[in-house]
Structure formats: structure tokens, C-alpha cells
Amino acid sequence: MKLISKLTLFITLSKLAIVLLFVLTLPYLIEQIAKNYTDFYLQQQQKKVLEVVSKNGVDSYLQGEESYGSYTMLKEEYVSLEPVENGFKLDTIYTDERIIEQDTLNYRVLIHAFNTERGTYLMEVGKTIETIDQYKRPLQRIATYVLLGLILITLIIDLFYTRFLLRPLVKIIQTKIINRKFPFNENTTPIKTSTSDFRFLDDSLIKLMEQIHVDFEKEREFTANASHELMTPIGILQNKIENLMGEPEVSDFVQERLMGMQKTLNRLKRIVHSLLLISRIENDQFTKKESVAVIEVFDDILDEISHRLSEKDIKLEIKISKNITLKNINRDLIFQMIYNLVNNAIRYNKASGFIHINDRLNADGSYDIYLIDSGIGIPAEEIGTIFNRFKKANQSEDSVGYGLGLSIVKSIADYHQVTISVDSDTSKGTTFTVSFPTILVK
């Protein structure tokens, strides 16, 4: 999962967790708020009563009676005054049941004892719990709507800010990693960002790619120069050996030794030619403007290898579409790539074995060629290294390879943006899948 997706998921889940926590605790919070508001209201009513008593005396309520009691029409609130013993002290707020006209009601009650010129009186100010609940539900609904709105706004702001903040990182990945091709010949442009971490990452990647490019160029130059320079002494040695073999004084024993040396020089010459070919491919010295029908490539390959098939009694079956043409390629290199794969399938095959070659045109326009053989197979631990130079994935008694055939195949494939995958079983054989992208198929 991408970093921006993880951050988006985290932000969304964290907001949802906050909403869930708030919804679970909201009833308790609203209840406490409503209760505190009610207590404050009762204290305000107490203050008003005391102000009236202080200004007009307690008789303004008693009106000649010993006690006083007053309820609102719906019995939602009441105020009462009753005489108590002098020196009695009480000041509290609590919830209590009261029976009023045969109705049992729950009240939030404030009780306060105060002194007057006529003695000590106990005042009660009450407000029904049902009234408190009337406030609680609207408050809870309003608070929920407000919270959801704020969460939505902050979520949108967080998502936009996260994308804005990570935009340099996305650009670094796209320009420095995803869209870059080895050996990084393109010029690199630093990413504009105010985040020091991203700037450090970008600078480090630029320096790393530049160093890789420099080292690769040195290796490629060395390979080309060394291979080219080796051809001269090899040619001289071959001429000298041929001259020696033509001398009448040379004995049969020496002739045999000279033939062995000539054979070794020929092997060395083929290795040098292969290294030169790889070097030329990596240096982009081949054009890719040709087109060729796939069936023609296999016809040419069949002409080259038919005698080898007969030698090992290998049955070759080719089922290739006749209307598939490859474009924007180098015909000779494509021939060399497929020829090396078929040649390997023969070399490492079993006597009286088979090679099946077929293809498939995919729905997206890409094109696959399958080379299936009944050979000795490749051990699973070696499949990842078979395309390395001078690495032979398997050995057989008639093996005369030098570990460059598949390396050439890989270089040609990379040069044409072709993908090669391998599936092998040492008891059944090997399947090479050559996948041509849509841009090479017509």
C-alpha cells in the first residue's frame, strides 16, 4: 500500500474513532451539562427569592400564612418556604421524588436555610427532571451535527494537506525511480520542496544515480576496449598457429597440440565477439526501425538449427501466428535473442526429447512467445542468476557454452523493452516466456 493511502486511511479511521468515542460519551456529557445548567438555574431562582425577602420581607411570600408554596401550571417548577428551628443550617442540591396532586414527579431540588426577622425558614426551589431531558436531547442532536460537520471539514483539510505535503515524495518516486531506466542517461532535475527530509532524499538519489551511471560507463568502456584490443593478439596467434601447422617438420603430436590451441583460440574469439555484441547493445549502437514477421524469424532459425535437431533426435513443433509482425525492432538482434533461446533448448535437452514453440496475442495488444522443452531443467535456486554473465545455470556432458548466451538474450530484451520469464522443473523441463509490449506489435 502506498504511503499516501496509508496516511489517508489512518486519518479517516482516527476521525471515525473520535466520532465513535464522542457519540458514546455524548449522553453522559450532555447530562452533566444539563444538570449543571439546571443547578445554576436553581441558584439563580434562590438568589431572586432572597433578594425579594431582603427587600420586602418574608411576608411578601407568606401573606400571613406560616408557609408558602407555588407551582407553575405544568408543575415543572416550584418554590416553597417553611419555618424551621432557629439555627438550622442546610444548603444542598439533590434529586428527589415529590407527590403533587397524586402525581409522582422527579425534581432537581435546591434546599437552603436562611434567617429573617421572623425566624429561620427553609427554602426549596425545584425543577422537574423531565424538563432537563427536554434540553438534553436537542443539545445532544446539535452537538452531534456540529461534531460531524467539524470532523468532515477537518478530514477534507487533512487529506488535501497530506497530499500537498507528500507531493514532492510522489514526484521523487515518479521521476527518480518509476520512470527512470538503467543506466540513468537522462539528466536529473532536483525536486522543489521546502521539506528538508524530501530534499535530502532527492539529493541522495541524484548522487547515487550519477555514480551508478559513471561506474556503468566505465565498465562498459572497459568491456568494449578490452574486447576490441583482444581481437588483435587473438588474430596474430591464430595466424602463427596456422603457419606452424603448415610446416612439414611439425610432428603429429605437435599438430594435435596446435589443433587444441586453435580450438581454444576459437572459443576465446567467440567470447570476445559476444562481449563486443553486449557492449554495442548497451551503447545503443543498433537501430530499432525495422519490422519483421515472427514466422519469418522462426523460419530462419529452423534453417540454422535443423541439423542439430537431427543429431539429438529432438522433435520441434512450431505453432506461430502468421499475421503477427514486430515493429520498431532490430531484426538481427531479435533473431539472435530467439536463436539463443532455441539453441539452449536443444543443448540442454534430453535425447529424443521435444521443443514446443507457440504464441498468444493478448487482449491489451501485447504478444507472448512460449518456448517449452523437455530438457534437464534449471534448479530453482539458480533461476535468478541464469542471465548473469559467465553464469551457467546447468551443466551437461555436451555443454560447450561460456555463460554469455542468456546474457546476450537479456541485453537484447532490455534494449527492446521485452520481458523474459522462466519456469523450470528439473524433472519436466523449462519454459521461457518472451513478452513483447504493445508498442512493438502490429
Side-chain angles (χ1 to χ4, degrees):
M1 186 182 293
K2 294 182 178 179
L3 176 60
I4 191 169
S5 301
K6 288 185 176 181
L7 288 175
T8 301
L9 181 62
F10 172 76
I11 291 172
T12 304
L13 292 178
S14 63
K15 300 295 183 183
L16 291 177
I18 293 174
V19 171
L20 179 61
L21 180 62
F22 183 80
V23 169
L24 293 176
T25 58
L26 188 59
Y28 172 77
L29 295 174
I30 294 297
E31 183 177 355
Q32 293 300 316
I33 293 172
K35 185 181 293 185
N36 291 337
Y37 172 77
T38 302
D39 292 349
F40 175 76
Y41 176 80
L42 295 176
Q43 290 170 351
Q44 291 298 108
Q45 292 298 97
Q46 170 196 341
K47 184 177 180 181
K48 289 180 180 179
V49 171
L50 293 177
E51 287 178 352
V52 172
V53 170
S54 176
K55 184 177 181 180
N56 301 323
V58 72
D59 285 332
S60 60
Y61 284 102
L62 297 177
Q63 300 293 324
E65 300 291 335
E66 291 187 2
S67 62
Y68 167 81
S70 176
Y71 290 85
T72 60
M73 183 177 297
L74 298 178
K75 305 173 186 177
E76 293 178 350
E77 300 178 13
Y78 77 90
V79 177
S80 67
L81 297 174
E82 293 183 3
V84 293
E85 297 179 0
N86 290 331
F88 181 82
K89 293 182 179 181
L90 184 62
D91 192 355
T92 185
I93 299 177
Y94 66 102
T95 302
D96 194 15
E97 286 187 355
R98 296 298 170 90
I99 300 176
I100 301 174
E101 297 178 0
Q102 298 181 352
D103 290 336
T104 301
L105 301 175
N106 290 320
Y107 282 91
R108 186 71 176 166
V109 181
L110 179 149
I111 298 179
H112 176 69
F114 63 96
N115 297 319
T116 68
E117 69 281 359
R118 294 184 56 177
T120 302
Y121 281 83
L122 185 66
M123 175 177 57
E124 286 190 6
V125 181
K127 190 175 181 66
T128 58
I129 298 296
E130 288 76 8
T131 305
I132 298 175
D133 291 338
Q134 291 176 3
Y135 295 119
K136 184 168 67 176
R137 293 188 185 92
L139 284 173
Q140 185 173 346
R141 186 166 54 253
I142 292 172
T144 302
Y145 291 156
V146 171
L147 176 66
L148 290 176
L150 292 175
I151 290 292
L152 181 60
I153 293 173
T154 56
L155 180 61
I156 294 174
I157 293 174
D158 288 346
L159 292 180
F160 274 101
Y161 181 72
T162 301
R163 290 183 177 275
F164 171 77
L165 189 65
L166 294 180
R167 187 181 300 170
L169 178 60
V170 174
K171 201 168 183 180
I172 289 172
I173 294 174
Q174 291 176 344
T175 59
K176 302 298 189 304
I177 300 176
I178 296 179
N179 296 328
R180 296 303 300 276
K181 297 178 181 178
F182 186 81
F184 314 126
N185 295 320
E186 307 89 350
N187 293 327
T188 52
T189 304
I191 300 299
K192 294 181 180 179
T193 176
S194 58
T195 305
S196 58
D197 294 336
F198 292 158
R199 190 183 302 113
F200 176 77
L201 175 62
D202 187 50
D203 292 341
S204 299
L205 286 174
I206 290 175
K207 292 178 181 177
L208 178 61
M209 290 177 178
E210 289 176 350
Q211 187 61 45
I212 291 174
H213 177 68
V214 170
D215 291 343
F216 180 78
E217 288 296 328
K218 289 180 179 178
E219 178 190 358
R220 192 160 60 177
E221 183 180 359
F222 171 78
T223 302
N225 293 339
S227 300
H228 184 269
E229 294 299 326
L230 281 172
M231 294 303 296
T232 301
I234 290 175
I236 294 173
L237 285 174
Q238 280 186 321
N239 290 333
K240 288 185 176 182
I241 291 175
E242 289 173 358
N243 292 334
L244 284 174
M245 292 176 65
E247 294 293 333
E249 297 86 1
V250 177
S251 64
D252 292 341
F253 175 78
V254 175
Q255 284 279 1
E256 184 179 348
R257 294 293 183 181
L258 289 174
M259 289 179 63
M261 294 171 63
Q262 187 79 332
K263 187 176 180 180
T264 301
L265 281 175
N266 287 333
R267 289 180 179 177
L268 180 59
K269 193 173 183 178
R270 286 194 290 271
I271 292 174
V272 173
H273 275 301
S274 297
L275 289 174
L276 280 172
L277 176 60
I278 293 174
S279 178
R280 289 183 62 197
I281 294 171
E282 293 175 345
N283 280 295
D284 297 337
Q285 294 181 9
F286 290 91
T287 60
K288 293 185 290 185
K289 298 181 180 180
E290 298 173 313
S291 298
V292 63
V294 178
I295 190 66
E296 292 181 10
V297 175
F298 280 97
D299 287 342
D300 293 342
I301 292 175
L302 187 59
D303 290 340
E304 293 277 346
I305 63 169
S306 56
H307 66 284
R308 296 201 58 207
L309 295 170
S310 302
E311 291 173 1
K312 297 189 69 171
D313 191 24
I314 294 175
K315 181 180 179 181
L316 175 62
E317 182 182 54
I318 300 178
K319 294 182 178 180
I320 295 294
S321 304
K322 296 182 179 180
N323 58 343
I324 299 296
T325 300
L326 301 178
K327 61 181 180 178
N328 301 322
I329 52 97
N330 184 283
R331 178 171 181 160
D332 293 335
L333 291 182
I334 294 297
F335 171 85
Q336 186 68 48
M337 178 181 71
I338 299 177
Y339 175 84
N340 284 5
L341 292 175
V342 176
N343 187 52
N344 268 18
I346 298 173
R347 174 181 298 171
Y348 298 111
N349 215 319
K350 299 174 182 177
S352 301
F354 66 83
I355 299 174
H356 294 163
I357 300 175
N358 52 67
D359 63 352
R360 182 180 66 181
L361 182 63
N362 302 309
D364 60 356
S366 60
Y367 176 66
D368 297 335
I369 297 176
Y370 304 94
L371 293 94
I372 307 167
D373 66 58
S374 59
I376 61 177
I378 305 171
E381 63 274 10
E382 295 184 3
I383 289 180
T385 61
I386 61 174
F387 294 107
N388 295 351
R389 297 179 190 178
F390 302 106
K391 173 65 179 181
K392 298 173 69 175
N394 43 30
Q395 302 287 339
S396 64
E397 293 180 358
D398 63 338
S399 174
V400 291
Y402 313 107
L404 287 174
L406 289 181
S407 181
I408 292 174
V409 168
K410 186 66 167 60
S411 297
I412 296 173
D414 291 343
Y415 186 61
H416 288 87
Q417 299 180 20
V418 172
T419 303
I420 299 180
S421 57
V422 186
D423 184 19
S424 186
D425 189 330
T426 52
S427 62
K428 296 180 180 180
T430 303
T431 300
F432 280 87
T433 303
V434 184
S435 301
F436 293 86
T438 307
I439 58 174
L440 300 182
V441 183
K442 70 174 181 179

